[in-house]
Amino acid sequence: MSKQDRSWTEINLSNFEFNLSQLNKNIPQNVKFMQIVKADAYGHGSVEIAEKAIKCGASFLGVANAEEGKLLRYNNINIPILILSPSFENELEAIVTNNLTPTVSTIQLAKKLNKFSEKKNIITKVHVNFDTGMGRSGFNIEKAKAKYEKILELKHLQIEGIFSHFSASENDYEFTKMQSEKFEKILNKIEKPPKYIHISNSSGVVNFQNKYSNLVRIGLLSYGVYSDESIKAKIKLKPVMTFKSKISQIKTAEVGESIGYNRTFIAKRKIKYAILPIGYADGYDYLLSNKGKVLINGKICDVIGKVSMDMIAIDISKLENIKIGGIVTLFGGENDKMRVENIASLYRGSSYELLCQIGRRAKRYYYDNGKNIAISPLMRREFVSSDYPGNKINEIIKKSIEQRFPQTEISKMIYSNILKNYLNEIDQNVYYRKNFVHKIKFEKSQQQKFSDYYKVHTYLTFEKILENDYFYIACAKNEELLQKYFNRTDVEYRWLLDSNFDLQKDIFSINNVKINDMSLKYKQSISDNCIELKCSHSQLNKLIGQEVKFSIETITYYPKSYHQLSIYITGFTQGASIQFEYDDLFKKVTSVPMFYDKNKNVKIIKEKNSINVSLQKDQWILPNSAVVFVY
Ligand SMILES: *Cc1c(COP(=O)(O)O)cnc(C)c1O
């Protein structure tokens, strides 16, 4: 419980574990269980519930759609996840990339999934759903065998399971038995049954046994909610979710005064009442108007008047010692009358629904063995970064850094000095380079007009994801001008020119530029003290998104009057070799590597007329690293 919250839920994971152990008594030894965590685990929080269920032996998780499965994968949950509802074609990508198991209940989707898997050169596991009487999703059972065999023919699908779903296992034994028999008939017709066969939900586990299943799907009962009065005698369950709030105001009403919208409650005697800061916007159902019950100091009190969007009124005339801030239970907890199923029954509602709709504003506090082990945020939706566009992500990163480094100077420094170039200026993904090899060779210039300069050959190769069907090589006459090219992701190579140059074609030229083995065309343009070379090829668009090898060879000139050459590594790079060759020009050359990790594993090899500075293949180099050669 947190003092600053207006309303909150407490999720008792020990009770959840207790319920699973009770249910387990009804599950035969050889039968595995799938924890159903759809709709954010019936409002309890799918990540924490999934983690606990896995600890308790769950073999599978069940979700409603790919999005819910993706969220679990983002939270490092690795066990198989079955999508119970039919999927749409546009969800196939998310299904496959997140290793989710879809349900197949139409031939149309099966074929599309097969084709999709074929393109990706993978085999996708599926569960086939037959409708035995639920009348919802699933194949109709006429021609079940033919349909099943049609799916078997799809070579990029592997049928891992076959299932059906009970419509009324909580209280209709006859109908459940009929569904079970229909399902068994299908099973008998199938020659090679798949690995998993399942039909039971949690009420089915308690009320109805069968011999053919080896997997059950556990939902409501594991959350400690009875699906029917009759089940109380068969199994003991403890509520997992408790929904709480606190008193925000205490008032009295005289006889004849009304409370709430539309005057649906009129005091027949003088009453004392409390205002609670929750309403239907918090998931407290509107239909609980004049019907709801809450628990204060161990006593049950009535909701009076209509449930508003953000407030309800409670009759506390019977109570003594009530204070503002006093804690109120809206449902759940130890008192049986406050079970969510009892509160839902006050308006003939569904406990499933009431659980799902709670806490649009309420945080969830997780307790295990009485200890608070986690708090999940106000929003129901967990954070999935790919939901956000680039500039929003940058804002989130910035805010997160500010939160982690509350002294603004540090957070500003980290954000603007280290990350901003990558995140703020460039609103797109940042890729890194691999196996960066850069060779710079100085030689005497033969041309009279460059007599004060060395001729410089540069050879550069690296591997990187290709982002566009072109890229630029650029150079500039001063650092400020060159700087603008650092903030562009379509520039792959930059060179700082001597400021004395009159810019003309042969000051900086390409000798050869390739992607993989393909020589590119290039076009030079000179403007504003910069030279840009645009490199492109009509076939490049086919390689976008793939990792390719860049090879760039240039020729330029470097002033003799300088006594050092700085080679910068401007982007994220893994593995590097930088070689300076100087053709008998200098007697003594030294190198000064400036890498982020204190030059720990830098290897320097000196030979006659060359010096090589290298880092191993798997070593990271952060932006703004450099090697300075001094001669
Ligand atoms: C929701 C669901 C379950 C779980 O049902 P409970 O009654 O909550 O145990 C099982 N199977 C399928 C297909 C479901 O959609």
Side-chain angles (χ1 to χ4, degrees):
M1 289 149 293
S2 168
K3 286 197 181 71
Q4 60 264 33
D5 291 343
R6 300 165 72 84
S7 72
W8 65 96
T9 63
E10 293 168 13
I11 308 299
N12 189 326
L13 294 170
S14 304
N15 285 2
F16 176 67
E17 188 172 355
F18 173 85
N19 299 333
L20 284 182
S21 71
Q22 296 306 105
L23 282 161
N24 247 316
K25 293 181 188 166
N26 294 269
I27 302 173
Q29 273 276 310
N30 59 328
V31 175
K32 296 185 165 164
F33 83 94
M34 174 188 297
Q35 179 65 42
I36 304 299
V37 292
K38 65 192 181 200
D40 209 13
Y42 298 36
H44 293 67
S46 62
V47 175
E48 287 80 2
I49 291 292
E51 282 169 352
K52 187 69 172 177
I54 292 166
K55 279 197 192 127
C56 295
S59 306
F60 255 98
L61 297 170
V63 298
N65 54 51
E67 192 62 25
E68 292 182 349
K70 177 173 142 191
L71 182 74
L72 293 171
R73 290 288 183 245
Y74 269 67
N75 284 279
N76 299 319
I77 285 167
N78 298 318
I79 72 166
I81 298 176
L82 180 66
I83 300 172
L84 301 161
S85 301
S87 295
F88 288 96
E89 194 183 348
N90 66 324
E91 293 168 317
L92 298 183
E93 178 77 44
I95 289 171
V96 167
T97 51
N98 291 293
N99 190 22
L100 306 172
T101 310
T103 285
V104 165
S105 43
T106 64
I107 295 292
Q108 193 188 358
L109 187 90
K111 281 184 176 163
K112 282 187 174 145
L113 183 59
N114 184 59
K115 211 167 183 183
F116 190 83
S117 306
E118 188 177 352
K119 249 197 245 154
K120 297 232 159 185
N121 201 20
I122 53 165
I123 306 243
T124 304
K125 289 179 181 165
V126 300
H127 286 217
V128 181
N129 181 10
F130 285 102
D131 180 4
T132 54
M134 177 71 176
R136 207 174 59 177
S137 62
F139 285 105
N140 283 334
I141 54 176
E142 295 91 57
K143 299 190 209 137
K145 185 173 147 77
K147 280 169 190 156
Y148 189 85
E149 280 166 1
K150 215 166 200 171
I151 300 165
L152 270 181
E153 277 168 24
L154 302 170
K155 289 295 164 237
H156 286 265
L157 300 188
Q158 181 198 334
I159 302 179
E160 185 197 44
I162 170 171
F163 75 101
S164 190
H165 191 37
F166 287 142
S167 157
S169 59
E170 67 274 23
N171 55 18
D172 192 336
Y173 183 83
E174 284 310 313
F175 193 79
T176 306
K177 186 158 162 265
M178 184 276 289
Q179 279 193 276
S180 174
E181 284 165 3
K182 280 189 177 169
F183 189 55
E184 203 168 2
K185 260 191 202 149
I186 302 172
L187 293 173
N188 290 337
K189 282 188 203 155
I190 291 170
E191 269 153 43
K192 227 178 74 201
K195 186 171 172 192
Y196 292 111
I197 295 164
H198 46 116
I199 188 164
S200 246
N201 61 345
S202 51
S203 305
V205 165
V206 176
N207 282 341
F208 192 87
Q209 307 289 336
N210 65 59
K211 288 195 217 71
Y212 51 79
S213 294
N214 55 13
L215 182 68
V216 292
R217 305 185 302 265
I218 301 292
L220 193 72
L221 267 49
S222 66
Y223 299 107
V225 180
Y226 290 109
S227 47
D228 193 79
E229 268 296 306
S230 63
I231 291 183
K232 277 193 177 165
K234 301 183 182 174
I235 185 169
K236 183 170 160 54
L237 300 172
K238 298 181 183 175
V240 176
M241 184 195 287
T242 307
F243 184 26
K244 290 186 176 175
S245 182
K246 55 193 184 192
I247 294 168
S248 60
Q249 194 176 355
I250 297 165
K251 300 173 79 164
T252 52
E254 301 297 331
V255 175
E257 284 182 346
S258 63
I259 290 168
Y261 280 116
N262 309 115
R263 312 193 65 220
T264 59
F265 179 89
I266 292 175
K268 295 194 180 69
R269 52 182 164 81
K270 183 177 173 177
I271 58 165
K272 184 164 73 163
Y273 66 104
I275 305 298
L276 306 185
I278 57 119
Y280 54 79
D282 301 274
Y284 197 79
D285 207 282
Y286 179 71
L287 297 175
L288 284 163
S289 299
N290 287 307
K291 290 194 174 121
K293 310 264 181 210
V294 306
L295 190 75
I296 305 175
N297 290 355
K299 296 224 166 68
I300 305 256
C301 305
D302 294 334
V303 171
I304 50 178
K306 277 193 178 174
V307 173
S308 301
M309 190 181 284
D310 312 302
M311 280 181 258
I312 56 174
I314 307 297
D315 185 347
I316 53 168
S317 304
K318 298 179 279 190
L319 303 186
E320 306 288 327
N321 292 328
I322 297 297
K323 290 197 189 80
I324 286 177
I327 289 173
V328 181
T329 298
L330 301 161
F331 67 68
E334 315 259 291
N335 189 319
D336 237 31
K337 289 207 175 91
M338 293 307 295
R339 284 180 162 277
V340 67
E341 53 272 42
N342 295 335
I343 300 300
S345 75
L346 296 173
Y347 64 100
R348 294 161 164 262
S350 152
S351 48
Y352 288 88
E353 184 193 43
L354 190 50
L355 286 173
C356 290
Q357 73 191 27
I358 289 309
R360 286 164 216 277
R361 290 171 178 160
K363 279 188 200 163
R364 285 174 295 221
Y365 290 80
Y366 293 89
Y367 291 85
D368 205 350
N369 280 322
K371 250 177 51 196
N372 178 222
I373 57 154
I375 303 172
S376 71
L378 276 170
M379 279 204 327
R380 309 299 293 164
R381 188 75 168 76
E382 301 272 337
F383 176 70
V384 173
S385 58
S386 62
D387 288 350
Y388 297 87
N391 49 3
K392 184 80 195 169
I393 274 290
N394 294 345
E395 223 171 88
I396 291 167
I397 292 171
K398 186 172 174 215
K399 293 235 166 76
S400 307
I401 291 171
E402 278 169 10
Q403 190 181 328
R404 268 288 173 273
F405 300 93
Q407 285 171 296
T408 48
E409 276 72 23
I410 300 184
S411 67
K412 259 192 204 149
M413 186 278 290
I414 291 175
Y415 189 72
S416 45
N417 292 13
I418 302 178
L419 293 171
K420 196 170 163 189
N421 274 350
Y422 291 89
L423 304 178
N424 208 29
E425 312 276 342
I426 305 166
D427 185 17
Q428 44 184 304
N429 297 331
V430 177
Y431 295 103
Y432 70 96
R433 303 183 196 194
K434 277 202 309 215
N435 300 324
F436 180 85
V437 177
H438 198 181
K439 198 164 88 182
I440 303 99
K441 192 171 157 202
F442 274 29
E443 57 186 41
K444 280 212 181 77
S445 165
Q446 308 297 339
Q447 275 180 278
Q448 187 56 40
K449 66 172 176 177
F450 292 131
S451 59
D452 291 338
Y453 294 85
Y454 294 118
K455 188 175 183 185
V456 182
H457 289 264
T458 75
Y459 306 86
L460 176 70
T461 61
F462 57 88
E463 286 139 42
K464 192 182 171 194
I465 305 258
L466 186 70
E467 291 174 76
N468 303 300
D469 61 357
Y470 69 90
F471 61 86
Y472 282 96
I473 293 169
C475 56
K477 273 174 60 167
N478 63 52
E479 292 204 30
E480 205 184 329
L481 285 168
L482 197 64
Q483 192 59 42
K484 73 175 189 209
Y485 293 110
F486 286 122
N487 297 335
R488 277 172 53 175
T489 54
D490 61 348
V491 179
E492 293 295 351
Y493 188 51
R494 305 149 187 101
W495 186 268
L496 183 62
L497 288 170
D498 182 29
S499 57
N500 293 320
F501 276 135
D502 263 346
L503 286 191
Q504 44 180 282
K505 245 171 98 188
D506 54 358
I507 297 293
F508 186 90
S509 59
I510 286 180
N511 208 21
N512 196 356
V513 56
K514 291 202 285 193
I515 290 285
N516 296 341
D517 287 324
M518 196 194 306
S519 287
L520 308 188
K521 283 189 259 177
Y522 47 89
K523 220 177 109 190
Q524 195 182 50
S525 58
I526 302 177
S527 66
D528 266 355
N529 291 323
C530 301
I531 299 177
E532 288 181 1
L533 289 140
K534 185 176 180 177
C535 309
S536 61
H537 191 288
S538 59
Q539 298 296 307
L540 276 188
N541 60 351
K542 290 188 185 142
L543 296 172
I544 290 174
Q546 292 180 31
E547 189 175 275
V548 296
K549 183 170 177 177
F550 287 77
S551 313
I552 299 168
E553 285 181 42
T554 69
I555 296 172
T556 184
Y557 296 88
Y558 199 76
K560 282 185 173 167
S561 57
Y562 291 2
H563 290 282
Q564 65 178 54
L565 169 72
S566 303
I567 300 298
Y568 288 96
I569 298 186
T570 56
F572 292 96
T573 305
Q574 201 180 29
S577 158
I578 298 156
Q579 177 144 321
F580 181 42
E581 294 181 13
Y582 42 89
D583 201 16
D584 281 329
L585 295 170
F586 317 119
K587 283 217 178 62
K588 187 166 184 275
V589 178
T590 54
S591 65
V592 186
M594 296 191 290
F595 294 123
Y596 200 65
D597 66 346
K598 300 197 193 101
N599 309 340
K600 251 187 281 180
N601 297 303
V602 178
K603 199 160 105 190
I604 301 173
I605 300 173
K606 280 191 196 183
E607 285 180 23
K608 188 175 182 297
N609 288 327
S610 82
I611 183 162
N612 182 288
V613 178
S614 67
L615 286 162
Q616 279 161 9
K617 249 182 148 111
D618 58 350
Q619 261 187 296
W620 280 104
I621 299 153
L622 295 188
N624 301 326
S625 296
V627 178
V628 182
F629 296 102
V630 184
Y631 46 87

